[in-house]
Every structure is written in C-alpha cells, then in structure tokens.
C-alpha cells in the first residue's frame, strides 16, 4: 500500500492553503441542486449521498453486479477471460445524474463538472497504489477536432497534477475512427478495435493507470492495456469516472 500523503477532497488543484482561503471567499455551490455546499467541493452532502455508487461490482473490471454474493466478486467475463489490466476503479454508475454531469463536461466543455467528477474519482483512489505514469485513452483526431478537447486527457492531466504523477498524453494514439463500442457482439467490438491504436514508444516495466471518462463494454480497456503490457508495462490499472452495465 502506498504511504504517500493523499490529497483531500477539493474542487481545484491549487495548494490546500489557497483552496481553504478561496473557499472562505467563494464557498462551493452544489452543481446538482444549486445550494451552498458548505465545503470545498461543488456538491452538497445530500446530493453526494444520492449518487449512484457502483456497488456491488466486479473487483476486476468494475462491471455493475445486481446482487452481492458472498466472498469473491468477479464477473463471468473476467473469470472466463481475465483482462490484461489488473483492476478497474470506477466509483459511479453511468446513471442519472452522473450521466448528465459527464455529458455536460464532455460535450459542452463544462470543466467545473469535470473537476467535480475528477475529485470523486480521487476520493475513490485513496487506497490505491500510485502508478508511475498516467495515460489517457486517446481520441481520434477527427473526434477531438469536433469536440475541441479529449475528455480523458483533461481528466488525466487533472489527476496527474493532484497526485503528482507524470502524465504522458502521447504514449498511445488512435489511428482509426472506430464506431461507438456499445452494442454488437464481443467479436464485432474486438474486430472494430484491431489495429485502431498504436503505442508510440516501448516501456520498461512501468506501472500505468489508463484513464477514461466512462467504461462501457471494456473492449477498449482490454485492447489498450494489452498493448501497454505487450509494449513492456509491468502493470496497468484502469481509472474511470463511471461504468455502464453491459446490457442497457
Ligand atoms: Zn446538492
Ligand atoms: Zn469483471
């Protein structure tokens, strides 16, 4: 277990003293209900308590599970075919209001939403060993041009700053525009992804956290973590804001 001091919840990456002072001047307002949050986070305690936490979920890939069986929580897919990544941290389920927060961040560039979501992810990472490198899931240049930014890269930079871990935005690139991965068979999804990504340099035993906003089927996470492991990474974990159930 990593013993480095963890950052406390806060809605901006400034030093703690500056944050405390700024929140005395400009207290946090809840982005969901608009009331003063009374703490250095733009979310009130009541709205936080109502968030759809991703529990119970597969301890390997964070797939939401309907019931919590005793003991080992591993989904059928991970038992049948263990993924190349070690495990996935996905604190929330992609349901209301998490879906609208993510969509406002991703499609309308509302970075206050992005910062709040990143802080919720940071809170879920308290017990996690820090990686040597944080790497975002790459976006095809065409989609990045349309959107104006890569939401995974924005999150990776935010987390890297708060955790003092280097971020390598260019380690992976996406060379083929792939259709959205939800729907279709597993075979079809894997076929769509084959050759879509490239690792731009070889690795030498680094531990890596691969960051994305939402993990849907897990095909992209499997493909990219496999590529990183083949390229020399010692271990890959997935960090994402939210996880969707497989059938939705
Ligand atoms: Zn609220
Ligand atoms: Zn699983």
């Amino acid at each position: 277990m990593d013993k480095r001091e963890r950052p406390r919840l806060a809605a901006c990456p400034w030093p703690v003293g500056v944050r405390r002072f700024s929140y005395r001047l400009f207290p946090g307002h809840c982005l969901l209900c608009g009331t003063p949050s009374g703490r250095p986070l733009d979310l009130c305690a009541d709205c936080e308590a109502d968030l759809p936490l991703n529990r119970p979920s597969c301890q390997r890939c964070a797939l939401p599970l309907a019931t919590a069986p005793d003991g080992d929580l591993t989904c059928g897919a991970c038992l049948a075919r263990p993924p190349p990544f070690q495990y996935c941290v996905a604190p929330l389920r992609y349901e209301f209001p998490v879906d609208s927060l993510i969509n406002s961040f991703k499609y309308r560039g509302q970075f206050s939403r992005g910062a709040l979501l990143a802080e919720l992810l940071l809170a879920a990472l308290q017990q996690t060993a820090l990686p040597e490198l944080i790497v975002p899931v790459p976006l095809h240049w065409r989609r990045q041009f349309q959107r104006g930014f890569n939401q995974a890269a924005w999150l990776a930079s935010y987390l890297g700053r708060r955790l003092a871990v280097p971020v390598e935005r260019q380690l992976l690139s996406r060379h083929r525009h792939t259709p959205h991965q939800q729907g279709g068979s597993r075979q079809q999804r894997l076929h769509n992804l084959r050759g879509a990504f490239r690792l731009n340099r070889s690795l030498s035993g680094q531990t890596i956290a691969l960051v994305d906003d939402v993990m849907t089927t897990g095909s992209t996470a499997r493909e990219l973590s496999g590529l990183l492991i083949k390229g020399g990474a010692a271990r890959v974990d997935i960090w994402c804001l939210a996880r969707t159930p497989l059938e939705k």
Side-chain angles (χ1 to χ4, degrees):
M1 193 61 58
D2 194 277
K3 295 286 182 223
R4 285 172 62 178
E5 195 191 336
R6 295 293 166 155
R8 297 180 60 75
L9 273 184
C12 72
W14 299 341
V16 172
V18 179
R19 281 203 303 275
R20 284 208 185 113
F21 180 69
S22 73
Y23 272 98
R24 208 162 285 171
L25 290 177
F26 311 106
H29 272 76
C30 179
L31 290 172
L32 291 175
C33 72
T35 59
S37 69
R39 54 184 181 159
L41 185 73
D42 290 334
L43 182 71
C44 75
D46 287 347
C47 288
E48 186 176 13
D50 287 343
L51 289 179
L53 297 181
N54 187 15
R55 287 193 216 123
S57 59
C58 171
Q59 60 185 358
R60 193 81 192 259
C61 74
L63 180 75
L65 298 173
T67 53
D70 293 332
D72 203 23
L73 280 171
T74 307
C75 77
C78 287
L79 283 174
R81 221 172 52 92
F85 56 83
Q86 199 68 30
Y87 68 93
C88 170
V89 177
L92 299 163
R93 291 190 178 175
Y94 190 69
E95 294 168 4
F96 184 81
V98 172
D99 52 357
S100 55
L101 283 173
I102 291 177
N103 289 337
S104 304
F105 160 56
K106 186 169 167 177
Y107 299 113
R108 293 199 289 281
Q110 295 186 351
F111 297 115
S112 58
R113 269 77 181 161
L116 170 63
L117 291 160
E119 291 294 340
L120 294 172
L121 177 53
L122 279 168
L125 293 171
Q126 300 275 335
Q127 304 302 320
T128 308
L130 289 180
E132 289 166 89
L133 203 56
I134 295 178
V135 176
V137 167
L139 208 58
H140 188 267
W141 66 266
R142 203 180 305 149
R143 193 165 286 168
Q144 185 156 339
F145 181 73
Q146 288 163 348
R147 198 172 293 165
F149 74 110
N150 173 359
Q151 74 282 355
W154 190 93
L155 285 170
S157 299
Y158 189 102
L159 297 170
R161 254 190 335 264
R162 294 278 277 114
L163 297 168
V165 173
V167 177
E168 193 167 338
R169 294 170 71 133
Q170 311 299 333
L171 182 62
L172 295 163
S173 48
R174 187 185 295 239
H175 286 269
R176 203 146 41 75
H177 195 57
T178 45
H180 282 289
Q181 286 294 303
Q182 199 150 16
S185 66
R186 194 179 71 82
Q187 286 305 326
Q188 186 60 46
R189 292 195 302 268
L190 289 175
H191 177 77
N192 289 342
L193 288 174
R194 205 155 295 148
F197 299 103
R198 186 185 298 159
L199 179 66
N200 293 317
R201 71 170 173 93
S202 59
L203 297 159
S204 49
Q206 289 93 334
T207 54
I208 291 177
L210 183 66
V211 172
D212 206 357
D213 55 335
V214 182
M215 183 161 163
T216 307
T217 62
S219 303
T220 303
R222 274 182 184 259
E223 180 74 16
L224 286 175
S225 51
L227 199 60
L228 290 166
I229 295 283
K230 251 185 249 158
R235 165 192 172 131
V236 179
D237 296 327
I238 312 293
W239 293 355
C240 59
L241 304 171
R243 184 79 159 90
T244 55
L246 263 191
E247 305 300 335
K248 211 179 173 188

